[in-house]
Amino acid sequence: MEHPSSTRVYVVSDSVGETGESVVRAAAMQFYPAQVEIVRVPFIQETEGIDKVLNTAQSQGGIVVFTLVVPELRQYLIEHAGKLDISYIDLLGPVMASLGNALNQEPRRQPGMIHPLDEDYFKKVEAVEFAVKYDDGRDFSGIQKADIVLVGVSRTSKTPLSMYLAHKSFKVANVPLVPEMQPPDRLYAVPKNKVIGLRIDPDKLNIIRQERLRTLGLAENATYANVERIKQELEFADKIMSKIGCVVFDVSNRAVEETASLILDYIERAR
């Protein structure tokens, strides 16, 4: 039996939809290399929005995943998805029901409570702004202010890791390691347990860089994706990371979330 190589998932929420999207992305990783297209449909407040999503899912295919906390909207989606024979998954409903039974109380059913405007929220916003400002060695002064400093050659997921960790409220600076440019002296001055080295298999990096060149419309045989050049860069990076004495994680076959989890575990132990 031939399996479909791609599908579409509509993530419906009466808030921003981050929770639903994160769960779907985590599940989709288990089916790699199959393609799972995620369409986030946030801030659903009326049944008209649900009708639109269900009509699209019926005509174009796909399943519906939802994190609706308003009972009327949740029930409406369940009933109408059933009538249209559209597969759906209620992510929050069963969990809220079980918690309600355990706590012997009703949930508030108020959308968007995962992002209250409190001290933690503003700390997260500050961390995201920090990651943007000190991304890819734009300003090396961030090295001394950062909670975490990522180092590695180009295309080792430094930027997506910085943003992921920023959403965990960590201030992250990242420094590209290039043979033609020695890293700043201040990189050796920060505590080595704040520095995280990122390593990758040269063949894997070659594939990633070739794909990047294709995306940019450039020739795949450019120096950027040359195997010997890649090995030179990785050798240089290994020397720098050895000199710093920092921990090094191999990102070759890891999703950003998985690498971030390893980094967070390490930072927690280092404290």
Side-chain angles (χ1 to χ4, degrees):
M1 179 179 176
E2 191 173 316
H3 295 283
S5 59
S6 66
T7 191
R8 180 179 294 171
V9 180
Y10 300 89
V11 178
V12 180
S13 174
D14 37 24
S15 184
V16 293
E18 286 183 356
T19 301
E21 182 173 352
S22 295
V23 172
V24 173
R25 287 196 184 281
M29 289 301 301
Q30 301 302 316
F31 298 92
Y32 181 84
Q35 297 295 310
V36 178
E37 179 188 357
I38 300 175
V39 180
R40 196 196 296 191
V41 188
F43 304 114
I44 292 295
Q45 305 295 331
E46 305 289 343
T47 56
E48 288 80 359
I50 294 175
D51 288 335
K52 185 176 181 180
V53 174
L54 294 179
N55 290 335
T56 303
Q58 185 182 38
S59 63
Q60 299 183 14
I63 65 176
V64 175
V65 171
F66 63 93
T67 55
L68 299 170
V69 298
V70 177
E72 294 78 13
L73 294 177
R74 178 173 168 271
Q75 191 59 37
Y76 184 90
L77 191 152
I78 291 172
E79 290 179 0
H80 285 73
K83 291 177 181 178
L84 297 173
D85 198 27
I86 296 171
S87 297
Y88 64 86
I89 302 169
D90 179 3
L91 289 181
L92 291 183
V95 179
M96 287 197 302
S98 296
L99 284 174
N101 290 333
L103 297 170
N104 194 29
Q105 70 180 67
E106 286 294 313
R108 296 185 184 183
R109 303 192 187 281
Q110 180 180 336
M113 293 189 70
I114 197 170
H115 295 300
L117 297 180
D118 56 13
E119 183 179 349
D120 288 340
Y121 175 83
F122 289 109
K123 185 177 180 182
K124 183 184 296 185
V125 170
E126 184 181 0
V128 171
E129 292 175 346
F130 186 96
V132 172
K133 182 176 182 180
Y134 298 109
D135 180 46
D136 206 29
R138 292 177 184 171
D139 183 348
F140 289 133
S141 67
I143 292 174
Q144 292 164 307
K145 306 172 189 175
D147 301 315
I148 301 172
V149 181
L150 302 177
V151 298
V153 302
S154 173
R155 312 313 292 181
T156 48
S157 301
K158 295 189 300 299
T159 296
L161 274 170
S162 294
M163 296 307 300
Y164 187 96
L165 293 168
H167 279 85
K168 301 294 183 181
S169 300
F170 286 92
K171 293 181 179 178
V172 185
N174 72 74
V175 179
L177 298 180
V178 185
E180 291 76 19
M181 182 178 70
Q182 287 296 319
D185 292 338
R186 65 187 73 191
L187 182 59
Y188 304 103
V190 299
K192 66 180 182 181
N193 61 1
K194 285 190 175 184
V195 183
I196 306 293
L198 303 175
R199 180 180 289 134
I200 190 170
D201 176 79
D203 293 330
K204 179 73 172 179
L205 182 57
N206 177 247
I207 294 171
I208 292 173
R209 288 190 175 183
Q210 285 182 342
E211 181 60 35
R212 177 60 175 164
L213 289 172
R214 277 196 293 269
T215 302
L216 296 173
L218 301 174
E220 295 177 28
N221 60 354
T223 303
Y224 182 68
N226 179 273
V227 175
E228 291 305 315
R229 167 64 184 185
I230 286 173
K231 289 180 179 178
Q232 179 189 1
E233 288 185 38
L234 293 174
E235 183 179 345
F236 173 78
D238 282 342
K239 289 180 180 178
I240 296 298
M241 291 185 283
S242 178
K243 183 177 179 180
I244 295 170
C246 63
V247 67
V248 179
F249 292 110
D250 193 316
V251 302
S252 301
N253 296 300
R254 288 195 170 105
V256 169
E257 294 85 353
E258 186 180 357
T259 305
S261 178
L262 293 173
I263 293 173
L264 292 172
D265 286 345
Y266 169 77
I267 294 297
E268 185 63 31
R269 292 196 306 272
R271 286 177 171 176

